[in-house]
Each structure stands twice: as C-alpha cells, then as structure tokens.
Amino acid sequence: MARALELARAAKGRTSPNPAVGAVLVRDGVVVGEGATQPGGRPHAETVALAAAGERARGATLYVTLEPCSHHGRTPPCADAVIQARVSSVHVATLDPNPLVAGEGARRLRAAGIDVTEGDGRDYARTLNEDFACWVTNRRPWVVAKLAASLDGRIATRTGESRWITGPEARAEGHRWRDRVDAILVGVNTVLTDDPELTTRLPEGERPPKHPQRLVLDTHCRTPLTARVLNSALPGRTTIVTTALAPVGRMTILKNAGAEVLLIGDYRGRVSIDSLLGALAEREVTSVLVEGGATVHGALFDAGLVDFVLAFIAPLVIGGIGAPAAVGGSGPATLAGAHRLLDPEVRSRGADTLVAGHLRRAAWPD
C-alpha cells in the first residue's frame, strides 16, 4: 500500500476533477503491474495497473488507495474491470466519498467472491483527496486560505510594501500548493497593489509546474489592462469574476485583453462568494487556494467557507495602525466564535513558521 500511496501522491494536482489514486498488483510476492490516475483523470489507476499486468493479474492481490468505482462515468466501472481480470483479493485504503460509489464498489467485488480489506493507509489516502471529497459531497471546491504575515499579523507596511515578508523557503512551499490546486483566488486590490503573476514556480529538479486558473474578484472590473495577470504570454488562464454592477464596456475590454469574464450575482455590493463557489463546482474546479487580500479572506472566513488554513508567520514585527491585517471582514464578536484549527501542525520553513490545519474535514463514508 505504501507504493500505491506514493503513486497517488505523485499524481496529485494532475488528475482533477478525479481523485489522485495509486494501484499496485502483486502476485507471488512480485509486483506485476502498477499505475496512477492519468492526467485529466483517466484512465483510472486500476485500469493502468491491470493493463501493465495483463494475464498476470489473475490471482493477484490489488492494493489501491481508493475504492474502485462502480458507476459508469467517463470510463467503465473499475470494479467490473477488477472482477473480469480475476484478481483474488483487494486492499482498499479508503472507501470512495462519491455518493455514486460510497461502498458499492467494495460490495460488488465481494459479491464476485473477491476478498476485500479496508483501512490500510486510510488517513493519508483521505488527506490526499479531501478536495475531491469536498467537491462531490458539498458541491463546492475545497477552500484553502493561505496567509503570509508578520508576528503581529500584518501583510504589508502602512505604505503598502509587502515583498517579501516571508523568505524563499516559505514562498517555495506556497508554490508547491499552487502546483496541486485547480485555481488561485485573489481580490482586485491585490492586483492593483502587488501586480502578481499568480503562476507556479517550482524549485529546480521538481516536476514541470501546473499553472492553476487565476481568479480575480473584481466587482466593478477595475483590473487594469497593464496587470500582469492579463499578460498573454503567461501560462494558464485568467478569469475576472465580476457582477452586473460592473460597466459592460469594461467587461468587453477585459475580454478583448484575453481574460475570461465570469458574471456572478452580488451580495451587498460585492461578488457573492457562495454563488462563485457553486459556479466553480459546476466547472469542475475541486480546489481553490485563496491568496488574499484581507477583504477576500475576511469574506470567506465570515461565511464559514474556509476548509484549511496555511499561515506562514515571519519573525518580524511591522506595526502601524494603517498597516493591513491578514484577515478583514466582520470577524466574530467573541473569542468563542473565532475560527480555531482542529489539528494544527507547526513546521519551520527557513526562518519562517508554517501553522497549518483544518477548520473542517470533508465527509467520508465509514
């Protein structure tokens, strides 16, 4: 199972909207076939492993990180393929959170006389695909709030200088997260102030980077044509998320500049976050990395829509009443209403400290 999990981890960020799955076939103590979910989500890991094994799959044991699917989607059911290959037993790390499967694949295998064991590597397998679990159960993307702040919670000085609060190790970690998600979300104020590219830059020697969709919350279409996110030479694509409050002429100008313009309903004069996440789910966006600024983070925290937090804390104090904080919005009235991490982990990233953890966990079948 350790090898299957390794294969799944290597595929992460390349399989959306499908989960990243690894599969290994073992016969007489020898690996006869292995595979992972392929880019774009198909073929599935089991299909790849079975094809590699050929006739040697008969009587073999299959180790797979997610329950074989039992429904017809864009590919035939993997459970049927496993049965037809006459595999003798299957070790499943975790059941599939997809309501269309949710244990049915395992039941189908058992009904065909195949021994099924569940649970080996469950925690890691679920952590690896919690974005998929959130998407199929909640019909919205898994939302990760990424913060980079000083010890006193500032994301810039009172004059707006913000590069760089954190060091290169922390920034590299942030780019690894960009490499695994479907979209990056920022507000137009971040574009106006920092003019980021929002591309993925990985350290030399790592796999070629994935450049997730760039989303700019821009209620009134204020994104300037000189913004780097509109540079046609950049890899990936940019979507300006706006509302009917924006001038039609500005929408047209941004479209002509090469951006997609996504019209979303407004809530109290701003883009409705709930409506946006619903629209992204329909577009098969399973994960969103929110990189700011304070207004965007505040709206998501206030709405209770953040699932996971990545907080990079730099060992410096900025101060200043006018210096912006990492999270805006209304905030809770009492400490009891504060957003507390369920399972915080603290790690060093160079001179900086990363505090990471869940605010909620995605639903998985027992």
Side-chain angles (χ1 to χ4, degrees):
M1 186 62 75
R3 175 57 180 163
L5 290 167
E6 180 183 355
L7 290 167
R9 182 175 63 250
K12 191 63 189 175
R14 304 297 185 271
T15 66
S16 185
N18 286 350
V21 179
V24 177
L25 281 160
V26 178
R27 180 174 171 178
D28 299 325
V30 177
V31 173
V32 295
E34 64 178 32
T37 310
Q38 294 301 290
R42 44 188 198 278
H44 293 180
E46 301 95 318
T47 304
V48 176
L50 289 170
E55 289 298 320
R56 295 176 297 172
R58 183 170 184 172
T61 296
L62 171 65
Y63 295 85
V64 62
T65 60
L66 189 70
E67 171 190 11
C69 61
S70 58
H71 65 295
H72 282 271
R74 294 171 181 170
T75 60
C78 288
D80 290 355
V82 173
I83 293 168
Q84 291 166 8
R86 298 188 180 182
V87 169
S88 64
S89 61
V90 177
H91 289 255
V92 175
T94 184
L95 297 180
D96 193 329
N98 190 337
L100 297 175
V101 185
E104 180 57 33
R107 285 190 290 271
R108 188 174 295 187
L109 293 175
R110 291 187 175 109
I114 297 174
D115 182 56
V116 179
T117 302
E118 302 169 16
D120 181 17
R122 175 183 290 142
D123 290 346
Y124 186 79
R126 291 185 173 185
T127 296
L128 193 64
N129 283 309
E130 55 194 328
D131 48 356
F132 172 74
C134 180
W135 179 63
V136 295
T137 58
N138 299 327
R139 298 313 302 166
R140 67 165 177 82
W142 187 60
V143 175
V144 180
K146 174 183 170 287
L147 316 172
S150 61
L151 288 172
D152 55 335
R154 308 296 183 178
I155 59 173
T157 67
R158 59 183 174 80
T159 62
E161 183 182 352
S162 61
R163 294 185 178 177
W164 296 102
I165 288 178
T166 55
E169 294 87 353
R171 297 199 297 275
E173 180 79 359
H175 282 279
R176 292 188 185 98
W177 274 86
R178 288 184 181 184
D179 186 59
R180 61 170 284 176
V181 300
D182 290 342
I184 308 171
L185 175 66
V186 300
V188 66
N189 287 333
T190 295
V191 172
L192 293 171
T193 303
D194 296 338
D195 194 20
E197 287 187 352
L198 301 180
T199 54
T200 304
R201 297 177 293 281
L202 295 178
E204 188 175 347
E206 298 192 18
R207 65 181 177 177
K210 169 188 176 181
H211 299 283
Q213 181 181 1
R214 295 177 288 272
L215 302 170
V216 179
L217 290 185
D218 190 357
T219 302
H220 299 98
C221 281
R222 293 188 294 139
T223 300
L225 294 181
T226 55
R228 289 198 284 182
V229 292
L230 297 180
N231 184 345
S232 60
L234 289 182
R237 62 192 176 103
T238 296
T239 298
I240 305 299
V241 182
T242 191
T243 70
L245 300 173
V248 174
R250 283 295 300 168
M251 294 186 201
T252 302
I253 289 171
L254 290 172
K255 286 179 183 177
N256 291 340
E260 177 190 17
V261 175
L262 176 60
L263 193 63
I264 296 291
D266 70 284
Y267 176 72
R268 294 182 178 177
R270 296 184 184 275
V271 172
S272 167
I273 297 296
D274 275 317
S275 298
L276 171 60
L277 294 183
L280 292 176
E282 290 297 323
R283 291 167 166 238
E284 298 188 332
V285 173
T286 66
S287 55
V288 176
L289 181 64
V290 184
E291 297 202 4
T295 301
V296 175
H297 277 130
L300 283 156
F301 276 104
D302 283 349
L305 292 171
V306 176
D307 298 293
F308 194 82
V309 174
L310 290 168
F312 296 93
I313 310 300
L316 73 160
V317 174
I318 294 176
I321 294 175
V327 180
S330 300
T334 65
L335 288 178
H339 305 277
R340 188 175 297 275
L341 302 188
L342 301 175
D343 50 358
E345 293 185 12
V346 180
R347 304 169 224 150
S348 295
R349 290 294 182 267
D352 305 312
T353 301
L354 169 60
V355 180
H358 294 83
L359 290 180
R360 66 168 58 81
R361 289 187 178 277
W364 290 83
D366 294 333

